[in-house]
Amino acid sequence: MPRVDVFFGGVGATQPRYSRGLPCIFLRWMGRIFILDVGEGCQESFLNFKLGVNAPLAVLISHAHGDHILGLRPLLQTLSLNGRKRKITIIAPAFSRDSVLDGLAAYNYPVEYTELASEEGMINLLDVSIKYVRVPHAPFSYAYSIETPSRVKLNPEKLDSDKIRGADRKRLLEEGVVEIEGRKRFLELYVKERVPGIKVTYSGDTLPSHRLASLARGSDLLIHEATLSTKDWEHNTETPHSTPREAALCALYSKSRLLVIFHYSVRYRHVYELLEEAKRVFPRTILAERGMRIAISGRKERVFSIIYGFEREL
Ligand SMILES: [Zn+2]
Ligand SMILES: [Zn+2]
């Protein structure tokens, strides 16, 4: 059964206030770890969640504002001190290399750094398809969606009756067609069940964006920033962020199954009013909390299990 675990290492904005930490979210699939932004304190969360010092690891950076990147070097240092040997891949916006990696010490493992400059695109990393789109915030800001591979279950009786065995079954799955005794056999005839991959979309910081809503289409989980309430936004129209209502509209338009809002302004000591605002538009919304984990599983009907973890103060 497919399963993805999402760990919320940091969920605040700008400064690490009220035990929220700064943006840093881990996604784990089949032992591989994808880190969505690396705010300060990321390495501590990585160790608290026991994600595995030598796990296959890719870092996706949404943009080069300090609250999203300043935890990278401490993370790399901590992994090195703990004996990591395996390569780390970093995907980040154009022109970010200097501010992210400046003065980076040599570690025990290679670091591969790729900068994005196109409006949208797709990368395959650690057997997972990652799509990205540019979003309106800082110059070169990106949102990402991570989708695990879909699976196909074949009908064994039908395969047997058409004498498709062993290596031919593998080829049928990989190539979609196989030739048996001079006849072409097509995959579609033998599919018993298709299990869709699990899709998680991460907004980074952004103004409301149609492009992001289309990236997020059909997501199991949409993690969307919600910096200011609509009421407070009216006095801060210069701020290139979203309100909870706008995050909820994105979840609604994209037909996402669950919305998690995060990146709360430090002006809010308590953020339940942000949750209430989002839920008026999209009831399946929850607040991100530092230490929270969400397990997504299930074939077609997804099951979400939420565990609250090492900090609880909203
Ligand atoms: Zn931010
Ligand atoms: Zn920002």
Side-chain angles (χ1 to χ4, degrees):
M1 187 155 68
R3 175 174 169 141
V4 162
D5 291 277
V6 182
F7 303 79
F8 292 81
V11 302
T14 327
Q15 300 169 46
R17 299 283 295 279
Y18 313 126
S19 305
R20 289 176 195 151
L22 290 167
C24 172
I25 294 162
F26 309 97
L27 186 150
R28 182 173 65 196
W29 172 72
M30 305 271 288
R32 299 153 173 86
I33 308 293
F34 300 85
I35 307 184
L36 298 161
D37 280 333
V38 273
E40 285 170 80
C42 178
Q43 93 268 42
E44 191 186 354
S45 302
F46 189 97
L47 296 177
N48 279 341
F49 284 129
K50 299 184 172 51
L51 295 172
V53 166
N54 255 312
L57 181 61
V59 178
L60 308 176
I61 294 175
S62 66
H63 65 296
H65 282 165
D67 53 334
H68 297 253
I69 59 170
L70 291 176
L72 181 66
R73 288 168 61 183
L75 173 71
L76 298 179
Q77 168 86 359
T78 296
L79 293 176
S80 183
L81 289 172
N82 281 277
R84 185 179 179 89
K85 295 279 186 278
R86 204 190 277 257
K87 180 180 85 170
I88 291 181
T89 303
I90 300 171
I91 306 294
F95 311 117
S96 62
R97 183 188 297 262
D98 288 348
S99 48
V100 171
L101 290 184
D102 185 33
L104 196 68
Y107 296 118
N108 297 327
Y109 50 84
V111 175
E112 183 180 283
Y113 199 91
T114 301
E115 290 185 315
L116 306 177
S118 55
E119 291 297 307
E120 57 185 58
M122 193 173 94
I123 322 160
N124 280 306
L125 262 185
L126 309 179
D127 304 324
V128 166
S129 138
I130 298 172
K131 292 187 180 146
Y132 58 89
V133 296
R134 224 169 128 181
V135 291
H137 180 64
F140 293 104
S141 295
Y142 287 93
Y144 295 97
S145 85
I146 299 175
E147 187 164 5
T148 63
S150 58
R151 294 248 166 80
V152 170
K153 267 187 87 177
L154 299 180
N155 182 331
E157 292 83 29
K158 191 150 174 49
L159 289 165
D160 283 342
S161 75
D162 288 345
K163 298 179 185 154
I164 305 174
R165 303 192 178 94
D168 288 330
R169 288 189 185 187
K170 195 161 176 273
R171 198 172 318 130
L172 183 67
L173 274 172
E174 286 171 0
E175 298 171 18
V177 62
V178 70
E179 197 167 311
I180 304 288
E181 296 173 350
R183 281 191 64 186
K184 282 190 174 173
R185 306 288 188 178
F186 292 94
L187 176 64
E188 289 309 313
L189 287 173
Y190 302 94
V191 173
K192 189 173 184 184
E193 185 187 3
R194 281 187 188 278
V195 182
I198 293 175
K199 181 172 177 179
V200 175
T201 302
Y202 175 68
S203 70
D205 288 2
T206 183
L207 281 162
S209 158
H210 288 293
R211 188 184 267 176
L212 167 58
S214 115
L215 174 79
R217 177 153 287 276
S219 291
D220 293 292
L221 174 62
L222 171 63
I223 303 165
H224 198 298
E225 72 122 299
T227 306
L228 288 175
S229 70
T230 300
K231 174 166 61 73
D232 292 330
W233 169 263
E234 282 157 14
H235 308 290
N236 285 277
T237 48
E238 298 298 306
T239 312
H241 288 287
S242 297
T243 64
R245 182 172 184 277
E246 288 161 342
L249 284 170
C250 184
L252 192 67
Y253 293 152
S254 63
K255 296 186 167 29
S256 294
R257 289 185 164 102
L258 180 69
L259 169 66
V260 173
I261 54 172
F262 81 114
H263 199 273
Y264 320 118
S265 164
V266 292
R267 75 175 58 203
Y268 302 111
R269 179 73 180 79
H270 299 285
V271 289
Y272 291 110
E273 71 166 284
L274 303 181
L275 178 65
E276 291 310 311
E277 183 182 318
K279 284 179 103 165
R280 281 197 284 276
V281 175
F282 192 79
R284 287 174 65 84
T285 305
I286 59 177
L287 289 169
E289 295 186 23
R290 187 160 192 238
M292 183 176 88
R293 310 158 190 209
I294 301 179
I296 309 165
S297 58
R299 291 176 181 274
K300 286 187 179 141
E301 289 301 316
R302 298 292 195 213
V303 178
F304 296 88
S305 313
I306 302 167
I307 302 166
Y308 289 97
F310 49 81
E311 300 281 355
R312 191 126 211 252
E313 190 185 355
L314 288 174

